[in-house]
Amino acid sequence: MQFSRVLSSQEIIGLITYTLRNYPNLSRAELATMLPVTPATLTHHVRELIDGGWVEEQSARRNNTGGRPRMGLTLRNEAAYAIAMTVSPDLLTGAIVDFGGHIIAKMRLEHPMGQIPSSLQVIQRMTDVLLERYPHQSGRFAGYGIAIPGIWDPESETVVFSPNLQEWAGMKLRELIRRSTDTEPTLVENDADAAAWGELWFGAGRDVQDMMYVLCDTGIGAGIIIQRQLIRGQNNSIGEIGHIFVDSSDSEFLCGCGQYGCLEALGSLTALQRYHAGGMTLSSSLGRVSRYLSIGLGGLINVLSPQVVVLGGRMLAMYPDLWPAIVRDTRSRLLNHLTHKTQLILSPLEDNAPLLGLAGLLFEQELARSQGQAIHTVSPSQWLTRHDPSP
Ligand SMILES: [Zn+2]
């Protein structure tokens, strides 16, 4: 990784923990060769992380010459935990994630999430069950995050747009969850953006600067990362690729946004199932979806030139034959110089990607909070019932 500017303490701490998560048991000297900081700065921050209980140093390895044992640095998985949930129109998934990025409890509940207030009650039930499984004896509680299939405005704390969960538009989500469940998410994020963070930190985006995550589910959305930063745009709205126009002749299905010809209306899981239910063979339905997806994806790759494009979501899990077709069709639309440079990867994290992304964001926030402050350890239930999300 290359940096052309001075890094802040928070960025250095983030880099150290990111590197140790992916390369456990590095010695300080090895870590120093991998990061763009002076040995003195590194020693200072490693000491801070050890004192804070985030990292431990053990004499776990011997060097090749049989000399004295080398000290290896490792993240403490039990240093912190996060609760993460992701909402789909018909499904709620939740998990407890530890600091090392391991999912230590996970739940899925099928429910029509557009129906309020029953969807809020389902969120409450899942929160309660996850809290029962929470390892209360150890670690900090880094927070509770929820990913939604729509655009979230953090300033007004409102769901701005959610074509596949239209009842949620205008919803003051944090306020509503707080009122109905006595808990409050400390973080709300778009689902594709959360999954992009997950792949960046824990999956196919490790060691990559520029990547795109494309969620292929009942809707289609993307999280776009340039120089390891998520691009948000005005209204937090970048990545709504489901509403790219892909066909002027096909006005069979109206998109949730009110237009015809959108990628989401013609190339999503919902579209695929409609084609098949309408009498088209499965093979032709898959071919049609792949063609529309490749129009959207090919155009985006030509514009953004990412190193890696990760595709995830239930459509690819349910129809494995779709993947080779999408790769072939998309490659055929790329500019020559990108054909072999942009890698198309099937998400290795599958439906864990948004959960891990939320957890990663919460851990970063908790690390930032812990810097220069007394380490606070509170139980998650204390945290969740607090109305003020600040520490
Ligand atoms: Zn649309």
Side-chain angles (χ1 to χ4, degrees):
M1 249 175 270
Q2 293 192 339
F3 294 87
S4 52
R5 59 185 174 77
V6 175
L7 298 173
S8 68
S9 292
Q10 194 182 330
E11 286 172 313
I12 295 168
I13 293 266
L15 262 180
I16 294 172
T17 53
Y18 170 81
T19 307
L20 291 178
R21 190 175 283 126
N22 292 314
Y23 305 96
N25 216 10
L26 288 175
S27 70
R28 289 190 196 205
E30 286 166 332
L31 191 58
T33 64
M34 295 171 77
L35 301 182
V37 293
T38 64
T41 306
L42 184 71
T43 299
H44 169 75
H45 288 298
V46 165
R47 173 52 52 200
E48 217 171 41
L49 285 166
I50 292 173
D51 290 347
W54 299 97
V55 166
E56 60 192 352
E57 193 168 38
Q58 292 177 325
S59 55
R61 298 191 319 177
R62 291 188 175 277
N63 63 24
N64 295 336
T65 59
R68 67 189 173 91
R70 293 177 63 181
M71 303 293 278
L73 294 165
T74 306
L75 290 193
R76 294 182 66 238
N77 291 332
E78 65 279 23
Y81 298 91
I83 290 182
M85 280 184 200
T86 181
V87 178
S88 302
D90 52 351
L91 181 73
L92 180 68
T93 311
I96 301 174
V97 184
D98 76 16
F99 186 53
H102 307 98
I103 294 200
I104 60 171
K106 185 174 172 185
M107 295 183 67
R108 289 158 64 94
L109 266 174
E110 283 183 22
H111 185 85
M113 293 302 291
Q115 293 175 6
I116 302 167
S118 75
S119 54
L120 294 171
Q121 287 157 4
V122 167
I123 290 172
Q124 177 195 13
R125 277 210 301 278
M126 187 174 284
T127 307
D128 288 345
V129 175
L130 287 172
L131 283 174
E132 280 169 22
R133 299 189 191 171
Y134 188 89
H136 283 272
Q137 302 311 315
S138 58
R140 300 167 185 79
F141 179 59
Y144 163 34
I146 188 161
I148 58 166
I151 297 169
W152 169 253
D153 175 15
E155 289 198 4
S156 63
E157 302 207 326
T158 305
V159 180
V160 176
F161 173 74
S162 183
N164 294 306
L165 218 50
Q166 293 190 355
E167 302 82 346
W168 285 41
M171 184 162 136
K172 298 234 174 234
L173 183 65
R174 276 171 46 152
E175 175 65 23
L176 275 172
I177 293 180
R178 179 167 74 208
R179 263 198 268 148
S180 69
T181 70
D182 261 354
T183 61
E184 174 171 320
T186 45
L187 179 72
V188 183
E189 184 66 280
N190 169 266
D191 52 3
D193 288 347
W197 283 118
E199 293 290 347
L200 183 78
W201 281 321
F202 303 101
R206 291 183 292 185
D207 300 322
V208 166
Q209 293 277 318
D210 305 316
M211 64 164 278
M212 187 161 81
Y213 176 93
V214 181
L215 181 69
C216 304
D217 210 283
T218 49
I220 295 179
I224 296 167
I225 286 173
I226 307 280
Q227 297 287 302
R228 297 191 70 78
Q229 283 302 317
L230 186 87
I231 306 301
R232 293 192 181 274
Q234 61 172 326
N235 291 329
N236 232 357
S237 163
I238 282 187
E240 286 299 316
I241 66 165
H243 309 285
I244 288 180
F245 183 75
V246 291
D247 195 338
S248 60
S249 63
D250 197 333
S251 56
E252 204 177 338
F253 302 126
L254 180 67
C255 183
C257 74
Q259 302 277 352
Y260 287 99
C262 288
L263 174 58
E264 187 162 290
L266 303 175
S268 64
L269 176 60
T270 313
L272 195 160
Q273 289 171 337
R274 275 185 188 152
Y275 298 147
H276 194 33
M280 197 182 279
T281 64
L282 180 61
S283 160
S284 302
S285 307
L286 294 175
R288 196 170 185 189
V289 160
S290 172
R291 182 161 56 85
Y292 285 130
L293 268 173
S294 73
I295 294 172
L297 286 178
L300 267 171
I301 294 170
N302 287 339
V303 170
L304 295 171
S305 185
Q307 292 161 283
V308 164
V309 178
V310 186
L311 273 74
R314 280 178 296 176
M315 181 161 74
L316 294 156
M318 290 165 72
Y319 300 97
D321 290 348
L322 199 49
W323 176 244
I326 291 173
V327 173
R328 185 193 60 232
D329 291 349
T330 304
R331 288 215 176 288
S332 74
R333 295 182 191 277
L334 299 187
L335 296 169
N336 275 343
H337 69 283
L338 292 177
T339 312
H340 298 292
K341 281 206 164 162
T342 297
Q343 263 187 296
L344 292 163
I345 297 177
L346 192 57
S347 166
L349 301 179
E350 301 178 345
D351 67 340
N352 290 337
L355 301 170
L356 289 169
L358 289 169
L361 285 167
L362 290 164
F363 293 144
E364 292 254 310
Q365 290 178 2
E366 182 64 21
L367 273 165
R369 269 196 293 270
S370 75
Q371 269 189 281
Q373 297 175 17
I375 301 300
H376 58 281
T377 305
V378 291
S379 81
S381 43
Q382 271 175 299
W383 239 98
L384 289 169
T385 50
R386 283 168 60 157
H387 289 186
D388 174 8
S390 61

